[in-house]
Amino acid sequence: METGWLVLLSLALGLVIGAGFVILLHVAERRGNNAVTVASTAVPDGVDQVIDAIESAGLVIDPSNNVVKASSAAYGFGLVANGMLVRQEIKDMVAEVQRDGAPIVREVVIARGPFGDANVHLDVRAARLGSRYTLVLADDRTESYRLEETRRDFIANISHELKTPIGAIALLAEALEPASDDPEQVRRFARRMGTEAARLSQITREIIELSRLQATDVLAGATRIDLDAIVSSAVDQNHVVADARGMTLAVGGAKHVHVVGDEALLTLAVNNLVANAVQYSPDNSRIGIGVHHDDGVAEIVVTDQGIGIPEEDLPRVFERFFRVDQARSRNTGGTGLGLSIVKHIVQNHGGDIRAWSQIGQGSTFTIRLPEAGQTTAAPQGEKR
């Protein structure tokens, strides 16, 4: 009897021990699977596709700063090299996220290219991706910063330009009362006030024109235009001043070359070029206005025999308020906006403008526009 109980007890103990081994093996297997999962460098499901699809620079980084996945933009910005995150500012962000777990958003400025002659402004966001990885997204804000800088410069320039005629008018107004008994002085001050008021009006008008040119519907009423009419109108607007100084406005080149655009704006552009040529050329000189066309491109060329523009200043002559000679420009009434207006008009018409100059020999400005083909229909009727 006792032997039977001993057998049963032995069998029970064997079952318990066997079950224990099975449980231990199962736990060991689960721990092994978890260890494999932790050690794996695979990116979580779906992240690869997201990184490939987004326009931002996207990176997935492991705890050793190895880049597990990166978008093409990340390589373009130079954030990755040899599979490693190389920008220290972003490394610091990743380390902070890995330490504290909270997402971070910061502005990072990095040099563009090996010479560091230009900067890229990035809005960088870093956050945890699961328990192991860190996700970094960087958006390029360089263009926004450039536009903001341009806006600030424009406002500063406007303030400076308006201050000069306004200050002059205020001083002249103060001088009028003490000179009330001297009619000649009053007339002289009044003439000066008229000149400054006209200058103020011109600056205001050109600023409004620049703002209008930035509208998206500036060419909503585009028509087919004969460039003969554009050149003729621009010459008519300048011939009185040119004749008074003994200048010759010579028109030549091809006839009946057509473009599609806004006649008033193109006339303004050519008028500004001719007016500049008259303004900065010596008396009794010759100004040429020619029209050419070739291979679908129409050109309006204005050439003068003026003082010329230094080579280093040529790339800047189309900037707002830029003047080659500040003192001479103020004496001649220039605002520094004329060529900027020309550039905007031409670009709005799908063309470009080029400048050539040599000191003491003169300058040549060339407007290039798409030529209207013989079968091109005028959108709103045809101007001839």
Side-chain angles (χ1 to χ4, degrees):
M1 187 73 178
E2 290 181 359
T3 304
W5 280 106
L6 288 173
V7 170
L8 290 174
L9 182 60
S10 298
L11 288 172
L13 287 172
L15 288 172
V16 170
I17 293 171
F21 275 118
V22 170
I23 292 171
L24 287 174
L25 287 173
H26 181 65
V27 170
E29 182 182 7
R30 290 186 61 185
R31 287 182 177 178
N33 289 338
N34 289 340
V36 170
T37 302
V38 171
S40 173
T41 59
V43 177
D45 289 344
V47 175
D48 277 0
Q49 291 82 357
V50 172
I51 294 295
D52 290 335
I54 60 176
E55 293 183 2
S56 305
L59 306 96
V60 177
I61 300 164
D62 71 10
S64 300
N65 280 337
N66 296 307
V67 177
V68 179
K69 179 68 178 177
S71 67
S72 57
Y75 288 98
F77 289 136
L79 306 182
V80 183
N82 298 321
M84 299 289 292
L85 179 62
V86 295
R87 295 292 179 176
Q88 188 59 48
E89 305 95 323
I90 303 179
K91 281 184 180 180
D92 294 341
M93 292 179 64
V94 170
E96 191 172 334
V97 168
Q98 291 172 343
R99 183 182 66 249
D100 301 333
I104 299 174
V105 179
R106 285 180 189 162
E107 176 190 327
V108 175
V109 181
I110 62 176
R112 187 192 297 275
F115 303 107
D117 55 349
N119 290 328
V120 177
H121 295 261
L122 299 176
D123 279 351
V124 181
R125 299 180 295 282
R128 282 191 179 276
L129 183 63
S131 60
R132 175 176 172 78
Y133 300 102
T134 304
L135 175 66
V136 175
L137 298 175
D139 292 312
D140 188 1
R141 296 286 182 256
T142 307
E143 182 65 11
S144 299
Y145 277 87
R146 188 191 68 79
L147 291 175
E148 177 61 20
E149 185 177 352
T150 300
R151 185 190 66 81
R152 287 197 303 267
D153 290 344
F154 188 51
I155 292 174
N157 286 330
I158 289 175
S159 302
H160 178 74
E161 294 297 327
L162 293 179
K163 181 173 65 177
T164 301
I166 290 172
I169 290 172
L171 289 173
L172 290 166
E174 289 179 7
L176 275 175
E177 185 176 355
S180 58
D181 296 331
D182 187 344
E184 182 58 35
Q185 282 281 74
V186 170
R187 283 192 291 271
R188 186 165 68 87
F189 290 153
R191 287 194 296 270
R192 286 287 307 279
M193 288 181 69
T195 300
E196 294 299 336
R199 174 175 169 76
L200 185 58
S201 175
Q202 182 183 358
I203 293 173
T204 305
R205 185 170 59 251
E206 291 186 346
I207 290 172
I208 293 172
E209 191 65 51
L210 269 177
S211 298
R212 188 171 79 88
L213 289 172
Q214 294 174 342
T216 56
D217 61 347
V218 68
L219 294 182
T223 59
R224 182 182 170 94
I225 306 164
D226 190 332
L227 292 185
D228 290 355
I230 301 293
V231 172
S232 177
S233 179
V235 170
D236 287 345
Q237 293 179 52
N238 288 278
H239 80 86
V240 173
V241 177
D243 290 347
R245 296 180 55 193
M247 294 178 171
T248 301
L249 300 181
V251 179
K255 296 293 184 182
H256 304 303
V257 178
H258 292 84
V259 298
V260 174
D262 185 297
E263 183 170 356
L265 288 178
L266 288 176
T267 300
L268 175 62
V270 179
N271 173 62
N272 281 0
L273 292 184
V274 176
N276 263 14
V278 171
Q279 196 171 69
Y280 295 106
S281 295
D283 294 348
N284 304 310
S285 60
R286 182 180 184 276
I287 294 169
I289 306 101
V291 176
H292 311 283
H293 66 114
D294 182 44
D295 197 21
V297 177
E299 293 184 345
I300 305 172
V301 183
V302 178
T303 302
D304 63 50
Q305 298 172 327
I307 58 177
I309 303 169
E311 183 178 356
E312 63 271 18
D313 289 332
L314 272 177
R316 299 192 61 197
V317 294
F318 298 106
E319 294 179 10
R320 294 183 179 107
F321 296 109
F322 178 78
R323 296 187 182 91
V324 175
D325 186 337
Q326 295 282 345
R328 181 177 173 85
S329 294
R330 292 191 189 281
N331 291 335
T332 55
T335 64
L337 289 171
L339 290 179
S340 181
I341 289 174
V342 174
K343 177 183 177 182
H344 277 78
I345 291 173
V346 172
Q347 288 181 338
N348 284 342
H349 283 77
D352 65 5
I353 180 165
R354 302 175 180 184
W356 173 92
S357 188
Q358 193 165 352
I359 295 296
Q361 294 191 20
S363 304
T364 298
F365 289 86
T366 303
I367 292 174
R368 303 172 76 249
L369 300 167
E371 184 180 4
Q374 295 299 319
T375 58
T376 301
Q380 305 290 335
E382 183 166 335
K383 299 279 187 180
R384 291 193 182 275

